Amino acid sequence: LIANALGKVADNIFSLPVNDLTMPLAWIGILAYALQIFFDFSGYSDMAIGLGRMFGFRFYENFNYPYIATSLREFWRRWHISLSKWFRDYIYIPLGGNRVSVKRVYLNLITVFFLTGIWHGASLNFIVWGMFHGFFLTCEHFGFSKILERLWKPFQHLYLLLVTIISWVFFRVDTLTGATSYLFAMVNIDNWSTSKFQYAQVLTYEFFYVFVIAMIFSMPLFPWFKLKLTVVSQNSLLGILFLISFPRIIILTLLLMFSLMRVASSTYNPFIYFRF
């Protein structure tokens, strides 16, 4: 319901010729893709967790609201947690982890994220994406994290979002030349003017409200709301059943209905992992 609506707009914008790509369109495209890949991948992970539960297996959460992170280190503790733990346990720690000299720690980090890039695909873009993350993680280990901690929280979030959003360009575009051209369009202030016709070509009606919904649900509002309901109704068993269980059943039923309707009415259903 969310990822596909965002993905359609992202595909439209990323398929534009470089000459037609204005600064606003470039930012809309990469923001749409950043939210698309989060909801798509975390959705697949939740499906795997649910299917596993049916057969008696209990898998850990694979995503924990990564876009609320304030550093890249925290981001990787929240994003694709199973992959992060695998590389930590089977690559980073066997290489010495943090128990070696400072230079070796940096080399270990770069090695891990070089391999992370290779893991996603035998493409120069994936390697650049991995090394990009490795560079900033090394900087944080070098002491930049101490500077980050002194900054105002919104600036910490802004730093994390800028790093991840820029890195997603290398992840999404097929060629390194195309990625650098797209990044140039994102910072080219002289190419700001975008006509209504250009917006109409790439944007869909549902994109606007889905984008807002995506931003809201990328934050941990549901756990907070659930906690508040629990506190309010903790003295009443009937209150707990009504405030938590009953609305949950209704919401899940409606979501299932909407999902079935969407699948039946739409021919756009991308599988963005075929390259990996």
Side-chain angles (χ1 to χ4, degrees):
L1 293 175
I2 295 176
N4 285 5
L6 297 171
K8 193 167 188 177
V9 171
D11 286 352
N12 290 341
I13 293 176
F14 276 93
S15 64
L16 288 174
V18 176
N19 295 334
D20 296 338
L21 192 62
T22 62
M23 185 179 179
L25 288 180
W27 276 99
I28 292 171
I30 195 58
L31 289 173
Y33 179 71
L35 289 169
Q36 176 202 6
I37 194 170
F38 166 59
F39 281 98
D40 207 59
F41 199 1
S42 63
Y44 274 126
S45 296
D46 288 340
M47 289 162 65
I49 291 168
L51 289 168
R53 185 74 60 87
M54 291 179 182
F55 291 97
F57 298 100
R58 289 187 175 269
F59 299 125
Y60 293 109
E61 287 291 335
N62 203 28
F63 289 85
N64 183 22
Y65 303 101
Y67 288 140
I68 69 166
T70 55
S71 68
L72 206 57
R73 282 195 289 184
E74 184 186 357
F75 175 82
W76 278 101
R77 288 194 291 266
R78 293 175 175 272
W79 177 278
H80 202 349
I81 299 169
S82 58
L83 179 69
S84 303
K85 287 184 176 179
W86 192 92
F87 271 100
R88 181 197 66 191
D89 294 343
Y90 293 99
I91 304 294
Y92 186 67
I93 291 176
L95 285 173
N98 296 330
R99 303 183 306 276
V100 292
S101 65
V102 176
K103 291 182 179 179
R104 276 293 305 277
V105 171
Y106 300 154
L107 180 62
N108 291 347
L109 284 170
I110 294 295
T111 302
V112 165
F113 277 89
F114 173 79
L115 293 175
T116 303
I118 294 291
W119 183 88
H120 283 88
S123 165
L124 186 58
N125 277 34
F126 289 130
I127 295 173
V128 171
W129 170 82
M131 298 297 284
F132 190 81
H133 277 260
F135 170 77
F136 279 96
L137 276 167
T138 302
C139 289
E140 289 183 14
H141 273 271
F142 186 69
F144 183 60
S145 58
K146 294 180 180 178
I147 299 174
L148 269 178
E149 290 169 1
R150 299 193 195 102
L151 295 177
W152 190 31
K153 279 281 185 182
F155 288 147
Q156 297 177 32
H157 288 296
L158 182 62
Y159 153 76
L160 182 277
L161 290 173
L162 283 174
V163 171
T164 52
I165 285 168
I166 290 171
S167 71
W168 285 138
V169 174
F170 295 103
F171 206 84
R172 174 60 178 77
V173 181
D174 293 330
T175 64
L176 195 58
T177 304
T180 53
S181 298
Y182 196 96
L183 286 170
F184 178 74
M186 288 172 61
V187 298
N188 187 9
I189 301 176
D190 295 331
N191 195 17
W192 176 268
S193 179
T194 310
S195 67
K196 290 183 179 180
F197 177 72
Q198 287 174 301
Y199 284 122
Q201 276 186 309
V202 295
L203 301 184
T204 61
Y205 172 75
E206 65 178 349
F207 171 76
F208 300 100
Y209 64 83
V210 171
F211 186 80
V212 173
I213 291 171
M215 288 195 296
I216 293 172
F217 280 99
S218 65
M219 295 182 285
L221 296 179
F222 177 73
W224 176 85
F225 183 66
K226 186 177 179 181
L227 178 63
K228 291 295 182 183
L229 286 178
T230 305
V231 172
V232 169
S233 59
Q234 62 185 350
N235 296 322
S236 169
L237 178 59
L238 183 62
I240 293 175
L241 292 174
F242 181 77
L243 290 174
I244 298 177
S245 302
F246 186 62
R248 179 183 174 85
I249 293 170
I250 292 177
I251 291 169
L252 291 176
T253 303
L254 288 173
L255 283 174
L256 178 59
M257 289 174 59
F258 286 142
S259 298
L260 291 172
M261 290 165 60
R262 180 63 187 225
V263 169
S265 63
S266 176
T267 57
Y268 180 78
N269 191 28
F271 185 66
I272 61 177
Y273 310 105
F274 70 94
R275 293 193 298 161
F276 304 153

